[in-house]
């Protein structure tokens, strides 16, 4: 069942990632005025810094909203992520619960990894 049409200002699900190399910066991003504290580097490649499982530039806005501190200067990878796209809907399906908790002011919770089902020992 498809999720409702997203509104990027009230969502934030796409800002949640499973690792520190979630949002890679491309050469064209180096000219953007992204604060150095918002970045991290690994093996000579720059990435947006992650914090508590989400981009560190994600912040809570008024009401139950999630805002990007650098939206006007956001990286190419973020600009390419279009509201309502296939990727958006998959991300919303998988990470909306994290975004909802974040927007509501609670701590972002990381989902527990699935536990393997072990055979019963007789």
């Amino acid at each position: 069942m498809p999720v409702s049409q997203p509104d990027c200002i009230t969502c934030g699900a796409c800002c949640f990632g499973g690792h520190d190399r979630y949002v890679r910066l491309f050469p064209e991003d180096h000219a953007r005025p992204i604060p150095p504290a918002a970045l991290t580097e690994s093996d000579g490649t720059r990435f947006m810094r992650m914090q508590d499982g989400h981009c560190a530039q994600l912040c809570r806005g008024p009401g139950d909203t999630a805002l990007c501190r650098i939206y006007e200067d956001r990286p190419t990878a973020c600009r390419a992520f279009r509201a309502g796209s296939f990727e958006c809907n998959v991300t919303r399906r998988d990470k909306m619960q994290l975004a909802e908790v974040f927007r509501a002011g609670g701590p972002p919770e990381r989902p527990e990894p699935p536990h393997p089902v072990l055979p019963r020992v007789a």
Side-chain angles (χ1 to χ4, degrees):
M1 180 169 160
V3 290
S4 62
Q5 179 63 30
D7 174 2
C8 289
I9 299 300
T10 60
C11 184
C14 63
C15 299
F16 284 82
H19 54 81
D20 291 337
R21 297 179 181 188
Y22 181 63
V23 180
R24 178 179 181 243
L25 271 64
F26 293 94
E28 60 267 26
D29 295 322
H30 295 205
R32 299 186 196 284
I34 299 173
L39 304 173
T40 187
E41 191 170 316
S42 178
D43 298 327
T45 303
R46 287 181 171 179
F47 301 89
M48 293 301 296
R49 187 173 60 80
M50 300 296 284
Q51 175 180 320
D52 298 325
H54 60 82
C55 177
Q57 296 306 300
L58 182 67
C59 64
R60 291 178 187 92
D64 288 340
T65 61
L67 304 172
C68 175
R69 287 184 182 98
I70 61 165
Y71 186 80
E72 293 301 319
D73 301 314
R74 68 195 183 281
T76 300
C78 300
R79 292 170 186 271
F81 205 95
R82 301 282 183 216
S85 67
F86 173 81
E87 293 82 2
C88 171
N89 286 324
V90 168
T91 300
R92 292 182 81 216
R93 180 195 70 208
D94 295 345
K95 299 180 182 169
M96 184 56 82
Q97 184 177 10
L98 293 170
E100 287 172 349
V101 170
F102 176 84
R103 290 191 318 263
E109 298 176 14
R110 296 178 189 212
E112 291 292 321
H115 298 287
V117 177
L118 301 175
R120 281 181 61 166
V121 177

